[in-house]
Amino acid sequence: TGLTAGQRTVTIQEGPLYRVRGSHVTLWCKVSGYQGPAEQNFQWSIYLPSAPEREVQIVSTVDPSFPYAIYTQRVRSRGIFVERLQGDAVLLHITELQDHDAGEYECHTPNTDERYFGSYSARTSLSVIADTLSASMAPQALTLTEGDAVELTCEVSKSTAQHTHLSVGWYLLQGAGEHGAKEVLTLSKDFILKPGPSYEQRFLEGDVRLNKVGNTTYKLFIGGVKPPDQGQLYCEAAEWIEDPDQTWKDISHKKTERTSLAVVSQGRDLSVDIVAAERSLSEGDTLQLKCVLGASKSSSRHFEVIWLLDSVEVAMVDPHGVLIWEEGYKERAQLGQLRAFKQSNTLYVLTIYEVRLQDKGMYQCSVSEMKAPGDLHSIQTDVSSGIQVNVKPVESRMRLSVSTGTARVTAGDSLTLRCEVRGAAGPVSVRWWHLPPQHPGHRVLVATMQRDGTLSLGSAYQGGQTRGSVRLEKESPGNFTLVIPSTLGEDDGGQYRCEATQWSRGRNWTEKGEAAVTVSSMGLGLQATLRSRIATVTYGQSFELVCQVKANYTLEQVPASVRWLFQPSPTGPSHELVRVFPSGTVVWGTAQPHLQGKAQLVKADTSFRLHIHSALPASEGTYQCEVEVWRRNTLPLGQPAASTKSNVVGIKVVLPESKLQVAPKDSSVEIASGNTAIECRIVFAQNNSQFAVTWYLLPPLADATPLQILRASYSSILEYGSEFSSLAQKSRFLSQRVSSNVFQLQILSANLGDQGRYYCVVEEWLWLVDGWYKLGEGTSGRTTLKFKLPERELQMDRTNHSVSAREGEQVTLPCRLQGAHLPGTQLSATWFQVKSSGRDSALLTLRHDGTVQHPQERLARRLYLRRPSAGDFSLTLGSVESGDAGTYYCQLQQWQQQSEGKDWALRASARSGYTQLATIPPESTVLSRICSSPSLLNFILYLPLVLILLLTLAVFCWYCKFRR
């Protein structure tokens, strides 16, 4: 749209186009509205479906090097070329279309204009489709008398997916060469009959007709042949497709083989008579036909004789007596079942030995006279004669019965089937088929025995690896036995069919019989039950598991194996303890290596027994047996035919009774400071026992949860609780075995946070053959740890405080001594954070000797004491985090050395008030800073009122000045 004069436009044949593989294809392209020379150049390219964005150059009218390598050879050999129709229009020729020629074609015109204006290329798509058109006609050599009628049949079909039309025409070729054929009659693609110029009048008179019978059959009828009709007739079919521009294009042509037609004028001196010794025969009889010619001076004349059955040629004898059989009769002639010869120049004989049903019909002897031998175009006379021959079928007296003694078997059993043939008059071949019920209408060949005794097996029964060596035996004339040594399973059940074929006098008769067989799966009814007389055994006691197996067949007669499985814990995997194979081979698993010397395996009839002597703790768990069975008569065993698992049976092993007794009496320990020890005493235990001790602390709170301090295993491995896992805590709490029956918890540098009730839990462990086992445990009484505070208290600020700090900033928590401390004394300070567990957590300790301890290593870098004065022990917490929120307090203690070189004694102590710390998230906007500052917020709120007052005052002053 919008084109103007002088605007270049390239137009290409509209697509999509469908063309047949191997055909000659043309695509047109033209250009208009161009400037420059009258002869424009064109370049053709293709975009293949495999790479629709990549241009592949094909041919150019101006550049010989334009084609890509894949097209160079075809362009050079004129397999692809451009035909110029005129200066601005061309045709692209592809002489033999190939599959990879499918794609999108582009026609491009190089610019010859003063400026680019318009379109310079256009595209169309071409699809390559298969040539499905076929046309066929049986070739004949017809010799008719002038005035006879002839009918020729042409079979035409197609299976193209696209919508196409057909045209069918008949042509007559006369003389030598392939050109100059005359059109007889054509049915066009538009379903219109069009006669050739030589046949228009005869077509109008109805003497020449074309009839369509069904979907694929076209018949040409000529009512009365004339000498000008002589020649070679053939049928030609064409397939047409409608292109997008609504024009029809013929995309495929097919010609049939030719029928030779000779027309003999009436009134020539030649007669033909056909004689049969017997016109009504039975199958297997011999048919002899004689063709007798009547002609004067016959010895000097040349005749060609054609034998026909129902107008279809059987054989030809040329004037020299050379015999030529038609294709369908060559094999029988080679087998000696057919014979034809020239007995004399006027007597021709056709003999059929062991005549068949298809040999009945109208036999004709067609005689053509020629001027000279071999001169097919000098026929003088064509005369024929016919005779009807009937062939009656021979009835067979053969009877067949099938039986089996193995109608119901189990997988692995053998099958024996018998086929008895009676009344056969000749050699018999036998075929056995299996008709599986799961595939109705399907049959599988089992075995074949030919008439000469040759045996062959079906593909599914060869090799002998699955069903054994299948046999088909001829026990006596007419008795055939099929033996399948080992059935696979239910799929081998169903009907087995015997087909016996009798061969006699060139014909065969087949009788059939069937027998039903049911093959039960080895898994059908297979069941295993596991039981034990006792479910709880004491250490060292024996127990037995019995695996009882049931099946619908005799279990003792099939190979079977048992696998014993053991699961130590309900959530863990199962392990294989031992496996007994059908051969008796025993394979022990690795899950319980001690089991091999303690277990006994017994098989009795349909049960398997596992007897375990001296049960160990490791024997506790759930047991299960798995039974597998194999088909009989199959070696090697291969995969099992069926398997089943039993129920699970749990076995509990009770350990020796623990005699452990731990002192249960409560006690208390009171200290002023320094180190202390908590005692755990074992009252009674077995001599060879080992002990694991776990120490717990109950904080002073009434509902506090016990806190695990540490656990010393029976091998002296220490494991600290989460509250005591820091290095500082591990260095203060130690577990010690003082004697064989006494354990102590050593608490070094005890502080107020260590107050509470302490107790121990003792576990008794005993070595039992394969490992250590816990027999029991006991819990001691509670030992209360108290601190004896000095009578004198220090004077300090005990006011409770609330402070807030923004995250990332620092905050100082107050702790100040009021008044001076006594000369010769030193102060120590400990900061605590109150915990919900009831045990206050020490954060920092300043000892009286000036050393600083950090029980919480992760806080060491953020904690320090300001100490602006001797009595100020305020704690500064840097880089405040949200987790720092909580309650804090400090404990001050006054120490005095008793004398030179002596220990320091606690003289006074005091605790500060509680400081509640709240953390504030960091602010990031000006508005948030304003909202968090009350003074700044009030200033902004009152700013408009202040401005209004100042403006009113200024107006009033101006007014007063103006009045003066």
Side-chain angles (χ1 to χ4, degrees):
T1 60
L3 295 177
T4 60
Q7 180 171 342
R8 177 183 288 260
T9 302
V10 176
T11 308
I12 195 172
Q13 187 170 346
E14 186 180 357
L17 302 174
Y18 297 90
R19 296 296 185 262
V20 168
R21 182 191 310 116
S23 63
H24 186 138
V25 175
T26 60
L27 298 175
W28 60 260
C29 180
K30 60 185 178 180
V31 61
S32 61
Y34 56 88
Q35 299 176 0
E39 185 172 284
Q40 293 287 298
N41 286 309
F42 294 79
Q43 294 174 338
W44 288 87
S45 302
I46 186 173
Y47 296 82
L48 299 174
S50 57
E53 301 298 324
R54 183 165 63 91
E55 178 186 10
V56 179
Q57 298 175 179
I58 301 175
V59 64
S60 169
T61 59
V62 63
D63 184 6
S65 64
F66 182 78
Y68 278 9
I70 61 174
Y71 287 102
T72 301
Q73 184 58 37
R74 294 174 69 186
V75 172
R76 288 177 179 174
S77 63
R78 298 283 290 176
I80 298 177
F81 64 93
V82 178
E83 175 189 4
R84 186 177 292 278
L85 301 178
Q86 54 189 43
D88 53 8
V90 296
L91 271 181
L92 172 67
H93 287 260
I94 302 176
T95 59
E96 186 176 355
L97 190 64
Q98 301 174 10
D99 285 336
H100 56 261
D101 291 332
E104 189 173 29
Y105 284 77
E106 181 182 68
C107 173
H108 174 73
T109 59
N111 182 36
T112 59
D113 308 332
E114 295 179 358
R115 61 189 180 94
Y116 282 93
F117 186 45
S119 66
Y120 291 82
S121 65
R123 296 186 183 184
T124 189
S125 67
L126 173 64
S127 296
V128 180
I129 60 177
D131 187 359
T132 64
L133 178 65
S134 69
S136 63
M137 180 182 69
Q140 302 178 66
L142 301 178
T143 301
L144 302 179
T145 303
E146 186 177 359
D148 290 346
V150 65
E151 186 178 75
L152 301 178
T153 301
C154 181
E155 295 289 338
V156 180
S157 65
K158 66 180 180 66
S159 59
T160 308
Q162 289 71 30
H163 175 71
T164 58
H165 287 186
L166 293 176
S167 64
V168 179
W170 294 87
Y171 297 85
L172 175 63
L173 188 62
Q174 296 176 319
E178 298 292 324
H179 303 288
K182 295 195 298 183
E183 182 181 10
V184 179
L185 186 58
T186 299
L187 178 63
S188 72
K189 67 179 185 303
D190 304 314
F191 312 107
I192 299 173
L193 286 171
K194 297 179 179 178
S198 303
Y199 290 87
E200 284 182 359
Q201 186 60 36
R202 296 169 69 182
F203 170 73
L204 295 175
E205 294 172 355
D207 192 46
V208 176
R209 302 192 299 270
L210 193 154
N211 300 319
K212 183 179 180 184
V213 181
N215 292 326
T216 61
T217 303
Y218 298 80
K219 293 189 175 183
L220 172 68
F221 178 81
I222 301 177
V225 295
K226 300 179 180 180
D229 295 330
Q230 289 189 129
Q232 299 181 74
L233 288 163
Y234 66 91
C235 167
E236 181 175 354
E239 187 174 8
W240 300 74
I241 192 168
E242 187 177 24
D243 286 340
D245 61 0
Q246 297 185 343
T247 62
W248 286 87
K249 170 64 178 174
D250 52 329
I251 59 175
S252 179
H253 287 262
K254 292 292 168 64
K255 292 182 180 181
T256 68
E257 295 184 80
R258 300 168 184 171
T259 289
S260 175
L261 176 61
V263 180
V264 179
S265 301
Q266 295 180 358
R268 294 299 179 97
D269 177 22
L270 179 62
S271 64
V272 176
D273 190 18
I274 186 168
V275 179
E278 183 65 48
R279 296 189 180 188
S280 182
L281 302 98
S282 297
E283 285 182 277
D285 292 342
T286 298
L287 171 64
Q288 186 179 72
L289 300 173
K290 294 182 178 181
C291 182
V292 182
L293 279 61
S296 59
K297 300 181 181 180
S298 60
S299 59
S300 60
R301 299 167 71 172
H302 307 285
F303 302 109
E304 180 184 80
V305 176
I306 299 177
W307 289 98
L308 302 102
L309 172 58
D310 293 332
S311 300
V312 177
E313 185 173 330
V314 176
M316 182 190 73
V317 182
D318 71 5
H320 297 289
V322 177
L323 173 65
I324 300 175
W325 290 102
E326 273 302 302
E327 193 65 35
Y329 294 89
K330 286 182 179 179
E331 183 179 356
R332 293 178 66 184
Q334 291 172 356
L335 295 174
Q337 298 173 3
L338 301 179
R339 186 186 180 204
F341 62 95
K342 177 181 178 181
Q343 187 168 326
S344 67
N345 206 30
T346 58
L347 181 58
Y348 298 82
V349 180
L350 172 65
T351 304
I352 302 178
Y353 304 97
E354 295 186 357
V355 69
R356 304 176 182 178
L357 288 177
Q358 61 263 36
D359 293 331
K360 69 179 180 180
M362 175 63 72
Y363 284 84
Q364 290 177 286
C365 174
S366 178
V367 180
S368 301
E369 183 179 0
M370 303 177 182
K371 289 182 178 179
D375 188 358
L376 298 179
H377 303 290
S378 63
I379 297 175
Q380 301 296 310
T381 307
D382 192 345
V383 182
S384 65
S385 178
I387 188 172
Q388 182 70 35
V389 175
N390 295 319
V391 180
K392 297 181 294 183
V394 176
E395 297 296 330
S396 172
R397 296 181 180 180
M398 184 174 65
R399 296 294 180 266
L400 180 147
S401 63
V402 179
S403 62
T404 178
T406 54
R408 289 184 175 275
V409 296
T410 302
D413 292 344
S414 63
L415 280 183
T416 302
L417 300 117
R418 293 178 176 83
C419 182
E420 184 179 357
V421 181
R422 299 181 303 275
V428 174
S429 64
V430 172
R431 283 190 179 188
W432 280 97
W433 300 89
H434 176 219
L435 286 68
Q438 62 272 22
H439 301 293
H442 180 65
R443 64 179 187 173
V444 179
L445 179 63
V446 181
T448 300
M449 181 177 287
Q450 302 293 347
R451 288 178 289 175
D452 58 1
T454 303
L455 176 66
S456 61
L457 300 179
S459 59
Y461 293 82
Q462 294 176 3
Q465 298 298 318
T466 54
R467 297 179 176 86
S469 299
V470 177
R471 306 190 305 275
L472 176 54
E473 301 171 346
K474 184 177 182 181
E475 297 180 347
S476 62
N479 289 298
F480 301 87
T481 301
L482 174 69
V483 179
I484 301 176
S486 179
T487 50
L488 293 182
E490 294 178 350
D491 289 350
D492 279 349
Q495 298 287 333
Y496 282 82
R497 176 184 297 169
C498 174
E499 289 185 359
T501 303
Q502 173 189 348
W503 304 80
S504 177
R505 304 179 72 178
R507 193 173 168 223
N508 60 78
W509 297 265
T510 299
E511 292 291 333
K512 303 175 184 177
E514 296 179 3
V517 172
T518 301
V519 180
S520 300
S521 169
M522 298 195 73
L524 186 64
L526 183 64
Q527 183 180 0
T529 305
L530 185 63
R531 56 185 173 83
S532 174
R533 293 181 180 178
I534 52 177
T536 302
V537 298
T538 58
Y539 170 76
Q541 184 183 357
S542 301
F543 65 94
E544 185 177 68
L545 299 167
V546 180
C547 181
Q548 189 69 43
V549 185
K550 295 181 180 179
N552 290 349
Y553 45 88
T554 306
L555 191 66
E556 297 90 328
Q557 297 179 359
V558 299
S561 74
V562 64
R563 189 164 70 112
W564 291 94
L565 303 173
F566 174 67
Q567 187 178 18
S569 65
T571 58
S574 293
H575 305 287
E576 182 178 299
L577 292 179
V578 63
R579 186 170 188 171
V580 183
F581 288 92
S583 61
T585 303
V586 178
V587 178
W588 295 92
T590 58
Q592 293 195 26
H594 63 277
L595 186 65
Q596 184 172 353
K598 302 171 66 65
Q600 181 180 1
L601 299 166
V602 179
K603 181 182 185 300
D605 296 332
T606 59
S607 66
F608 300 89
R609 297 172 183 266
L610 173 64
H611 188 91
I612 298 179
H613 301 277
S614 303
L616 298 176
S619 303
E620 181 172 310
T622 57
Y623 291 81
Q624 189 179 30
C625 67
E626 180 183 17
V627 178
E628 296 176 331
V629 293
W630 281 262
R631 293 182 291 111
R632 282 178 288 193
N633 308 319
T634 303
L635 288 174
L637 292 178
Q639 293 297 321
S643 65
T644 182
K645 284 186 177 181
S646 71
N647 55 298
V648 295
V649 170
I651 297 295
K652 181 174 178 58
V653 179
V654 179
L655 296 175
E657 185 178 357
S658 175
K659 307 292 185 180
L660 177 68
Q661 295 181 19
V662 182
K665 187 177 179 180
D666 294 341
S667 62
S668 64
V669 175
E670 187 176 34
I671 63 172
S673 63
N675 305 331
T676 187
I678 309 296
E679 187 176 274
C680 176
R681 183 178 297 274
I682 298 173
V683 178
F684 182 81
Q686 298 184 38
N687 292 333
N688 55 349
S689 297
Q690 295 292 334
F691 305 101
V693 180
T694 305
W695 293 95
Y696 292 92
L697 167 63
L698 272 170
L701 291 180
D703 58 348
T705 302
L707 301 176
Q708 179 182 328
I709 303 171
L710 66 90
R711 181 180 188 274
S713 69
Y714 57 80
S715 57
S716 300
I717 297 174
L718 299 181
E719 180 183 349
Y720 283 84
S722 60
E723 294 284 336
F724 299 85
S725 60
S726 67
L727 291 176
Q729 297 288 60
K730 289 180 179 179
S731 64
R732 291 181 56 239
F733 291 88
L734 303 173
S735 180
Q736 233 177 2
R737 186 170 186 173
V738 180
S739 64
S740 61
N741 63 333
V742 177
F743 294 85
Q744 282 188 350
L745 175 66
Q746 301 286 338
I747 305 176
L748 308 180
S749 301
N751 57 52
L752 290 176
D754 300 331
Q755 292 185 107
R757 292 176 294 165
Y758 291 80
Y759 66 94
C760 70
V761 175
V762 180
E763 301 169 5
E764 183 180 13
W765 290 80
L766 189 66
W767 175 263
L768 299 175
V769 181
D770 61 340
W772 289 94
Y773 291 91
K774 179 181 173 183
L775 300 185
E777 64 179 34
T779 303
S780 71
R782 271 58 169 170
T783 298
T784 304
L785 175 62
K786 301 179 182 178
F787 278 84
K788 183 179 180 181
L789 298 177
E791 296 179 357
R792 178 173 172 271
E793 286 193 1
L794 295 173
Q795 299 297 317
M796 63 182 302
D797 183 8
R798 295 191 177 184
T799 306
N800 294 333
H801 300 275
S802 294
V803 298
S804 60
R806 193 172 308 282
E807 293 178 22
E809 299 179 356
Q810 71 177 21
V811 63
T812 300
L813 309 179
C815 177
R816 299 181 182 88
L817 179 70
Q818 294 180 342
H821 63 276
L822 295 175
T825 63
Q826 296 292 339
L827 295 175
S828 68
T830 302
W831 273 94
F832 295 90
Q833 183 180 16
V834 178
K835 293 292 185 178
S836 59
S837 63
R839 179 177 182 273
D840 297 342
S841 177
L843 304 177
L844 178 147
T845 298
L846 173 65
R847 296 173 58 85
H848 58 76
D849 59 0
T851 61
V852 177
Q853 293 180 342
H854 291 88
Q856 307 287 338
E857 290 92 342
R858 63 183 181 84
L859 299 176
R861 294 185 179 182
R862 296 201 291 129
L863 299 176
Y864 59 94
L865 297 177
R866 293 179 57 195
R867 300 301 305 276
S869 62
D872 192 340
F873 294 90
S874 298
L875 177 68
T876 299
L877 176 61
S879 300
V880 173
E881 301 174 357
S882 60
D884 296 333
T887 303
Y888 298 81
Y889 68 90
C890 73
Q891 177 82 28
L892 296 182
Q893 293 178 325
Q894 189 178 55
W895 302 80
Q896 187 175 28
Q897 194 172 24
Q898 298 177 3
S899 62
E900 186 70 26
K902 299 293 183 179
D903 292 336
W904 289 77
L906 180 64
R907 298 303 183 192
S909 68
R911 191 179 73 179
S912 71
Y914 293 103
T915 300
Q916 183 70 37
L917 172 61
T919 60
I920 302 172
E923 299 294 342
S924 58
T925 63
V926 175
L927 182 60
S928 61
R929 293 181 180 274
I930 293 173
C931 294
S932 62
S933 175
S935 58
L936 184 58
L937 181 62
N938 289 335
F939 171 77
I940 292 176
L941 291 175
Y942 286 105
L943 181 60
L945 182 60
V946 173
L947 293 176
I948 292 173
L949 290 174
L950 290 176
L951 181 61
T952 303
L953 182 61
V955 172
F956 178 75
C957 293
W958 177 83
Y959 176 75
C960 293
K961 183 179 180 181
F962 178 77
R963 289 290 301 271
R964 292 177 184 174

